[in-house]
Amino acid sequence: MSNSDYPTTPSRNHYDVVIIGGATSGSSIAWHLSTNPDFKGSVLVVERDPSLQFSATKASNNCMRQQFATAINVKIAQYAADFVKRFGAEFPPDECVPDGPIRNFGYLYLSDSTEFTEVLKKDQQLQASCGAGTQIILKADIKNKYPFFYTDDIDSGSLNLIDEGAFNALGMVEWLRKTARQNGVDYIGNEVVDMTVDGDKICDITLKTGEKVTVSTLVNAAGTRAATVSQLAGIDLPIEARRRYTYIFSVDEPLPQDLPLTIDPTGVHLRSYGAKDYLVGCPPIGPDTAVDVNDFSFAENAWEEKILPIITRRVPQFASARVTNAWMGHYEFNIFDHNAIVGAHDKVSNLFFCVGFSGHGSQQAPACGRGVAELIVHGSFQTLDLSALSYKRIVENRPLTERAVI
């Protein structure tokens, strides 16, 4: 989808729902509203870059996992897996997910200490209580199942092969917004630069091209720009852009089996990508701090200085690794507790959030988008209770910390 495929001007001057941000979260909300038989209103999605070239969605590593440290995130991930399997056949094809809606090569957390193993065991018990298939796997079993790994420095691991691996995240977004538009949702390529707040309501928004649009309900789904958008209403959000590197590489002799998405103790994560190549990603080399939302430069040589030494140690067969593609993208990182903010503002009654996913937006958008749509239509969550992720927890300083953030 190019920017020229979207009009810049809305077709009307009032909408029942205006969604700021048309990538994963915004399109999920729009789609769920447009398919809800109890919703008869008008919807406008304002996306500043319809190509999504610089969105977190575009930079997604297409990951699907249930291995989280908070129960609500496990349940959200299970919903995502069901959603993708139900509708995945209609998503556009993707070379990195050639075998159906989810490529189930699994997630493998590696532990290099008895202390971290205890953390993984605690998380596994939580995940199992939610119905996830995670198992603690001993070092000898890791070596037996994945003989290509160097494991002399490993204590144990946490492995789930059920609905964990990769999926076509960008294809899902393209499908959501295409079908939402077919259902009558208006999408425009524009930017919200101002909004009017009167008492406890947002009355209207002003577009970069000058038009004013009155609104009944406003949703902030602006990703890495969510804090900037909220500032237009005088509201602070603890969200900032964080830099993440991704490389695609090939080797002389590919592994004889799929490489699960493996989280090395160093924080570097790697997995199979296509049939014979691999994906690897990591945070910055130094402190993981905020970056300007417009800065997509490679600020450091993460491949040579960080990634290559780690992957060749963990998988000696990767000694011949050579980069075939690379990109730097941003997480919309919630510095408060690394969890999404979903639902209504505590004082502005017609303002809703679907932001702050901290790297998990692609798989969390189906459940959270549906949840926000349910709040708008019904006034309460109907499918999955997401109240633990409310904005109110920030006001009341009650963090729900998600430890399992890569």
Side-chain angles (χ1 to χ4, degrees):
M1 178 68 67
S2 68
N3 289 351
S4 61
D5 292 326
Y6 277 28
T8 59
T9 305
S11 62
R12 59 180 77 190
N13 57 22
H14 172 82
Y15 285 86
D16 295 301
V17 179
V18 171
I19 302 168
I20 304 176
T24 316
S25 300
S27 291
S28 176
I29 298 164
W31 185 87
H32 281 99
L33 284 171
S34 73
T35 56
N36 188 317
D38 295 322
F39 181 75
K40 309 298 181 184
S42 55
V43 181
L44 173 68
V45 178
V46 184
E47 170 53 52
R48 66 186 302 277
D49 176 24
S51 74
L52 305 183
Q53 183 62 37
F54 299 106
S55 66
T57 292
K58 183 71 172 180
S60 171
N61 287 353
N62 304 286
C63 299
M64 179 75 72
R65 67 173 161 115
Q66 298 170 58
Q67 292 190 65
F68 287 97
T70 50
I72 188 59
N73 285 338
V74 179
K75 294 173 183 177
I76 287 172
Q78 291 169 334
Y79 181 91
D82 289 341
F83 183 90
V84 169
K85 285 187 289 186
R86 278 188 288 129
F87 300 106
E90 300 185 51
F91 299 165
D94 190 306
E95 66 175 9
C96 71
V97 190
D99 302 320
I102 302 175
R103 189 174 178 184
N104 285 298
F105 44 58
Y107 255 72
L108 174 62
Y109 275 85
L110 294 177
S111 168
D112 60 355
S113 69
T114 55
E115 292 79 12
F116 188 55
T117 294
E118 290 304 311
V119 172
L120 291 180
K121 287 180 178 179
K122 181 178 178 181
D123 290 349
Q124 186 274 334
Q125 292 169 0
L126 169 73
Q127 294 151 20
S129 72
C130 296
T134 314
Q135 299 292 329
I136 299 299
I137 181 170
L138 301 177
K139 175 165 71 172
D141 296 325
I142 296 173
K143 192 66 176 178
N144 182 60
K145 191 172 183 64
Y146 304 107
F148 44 78
F149 279 136
Y150 172 78
T151 58
D152 286 4
D153 60 341
I154 294 301
D155 181 75
S156 68
S158 174
L159 176 68
N160 187 0
L161 297 172
I162 303 170
D163 291 337
E164 295 208 5
F167 75 112
N168 186 355
L170 184 59
M172 179 183 73
V173 177
E174 291 172 343
W175 181 82
L176 285 169
R177 63 180 181 174
K178 179 187 74 174
T179 51
R181 293 179 77 187
Q182 291 171 348
N183 293 340
V185 174
D186 286 351
Y187 273 72
I188 60 171
N190 212 316
E191 185 175 356
V192 176
V193 296
D194 199 6
M195 57 184 70
T196 303
V197 182
D198 185 7
D200 68 343
K201 289 185 179 296
I202 294 175
C203 302
D204 60 55
I205 60 168
T206 301
L207 300 174
K208 190 173 184 178
T209 47
E211 298 90 346
K212 279 186 179 291
V213 178
T214 59
V215 306
S216 297
T217 298
L218 184 70
V219 183
N220 183 347
T224 56
R225 299 175 187 269
T228 301
V229 167
S230 281
Q231 275 295 319
L232 299 176
I235 296 168
D236 291 327
L237 280 182
I239 295 172
E240 59 189 32
R242 294 282 184 92
R243 190 186 302 271
R244 291 294 183 272
Y245 297 103
T246 301
Y247 295 83
I248 309 301
F249 66 94
S250 60
V251 294
D252 291 342
E253 295 184 29
L255 302 175
Q257 65 192 88
D258 272 341
L259 174 67
L261 198 151
T262 305
I263 298 93
D264 191 81
T266 60
V268 170
H269 60 277
L270 60 158
R271 67 167 176 86
S272 286
Y273 184 69
K276 296 182 179 179
D277 55 357
Y278 305 90
L279 176 150
V280 60
C282 71
I285 294 174
D288 188 12
T289 55
V291 62
D292 186 277
V293 292
N294 296 306
D295 180 4
F296 289 88
S297 63
F298 278 75
E300 54 206 349
N301 188 351
W303 173 259
E304 293 287 348
E305 297 178 25
K306 182 174 184 177
I307 290 176
L308 189 58
I310 290 169
I311 65 171
T312 54
R313 173 180 171 82
R314 188 59 59 209
V315 186
Q317 198 167 328
F318 286 169
S320 62
R322 53 193 176 275
V323 175
T324 57
N325 194 13
W327 59 87
M328 196 288 292
H330 295 160
Y331 276 6
E332 49 171 307
F333 204 82
N334 179 358
I335 60 175
F336 180 70
D337 61 7
H338 315 157
N339 256 319
I341 304 169
V342 180
H345 188 261
D346 65 324
K347 292 186 175 63
V348 182
S349 60
N350 65 339
L351 174 61
F352 293 81
F353 299 107
C354 196
V355 295
F357 292 96
S358 304
H360 310 130
S362 289
Q363 70 166 330
Q364 293 190 327
C368 294
R370 180 167 187 165
V372 171
E374 290 171 346
L375 287 178
I376 293 170
V377 178
H378 304 289
S380 62
F381 295 117
Q382 305 291 299
T383 307
L384 184 61
D385 185 359
L386 302 175
S387 56
L389 301 177
S390 71
Y391 176 84
K392 190 176 181 181
R393 78 183 193 274
I394 297 171
V395 177
E396 296 177 350
N397 195 28
R398 293 184 291 101
L400 178 70
T401 302
E402 177 53 66
R403 180 198 53 76
V405 174
I406 300 174

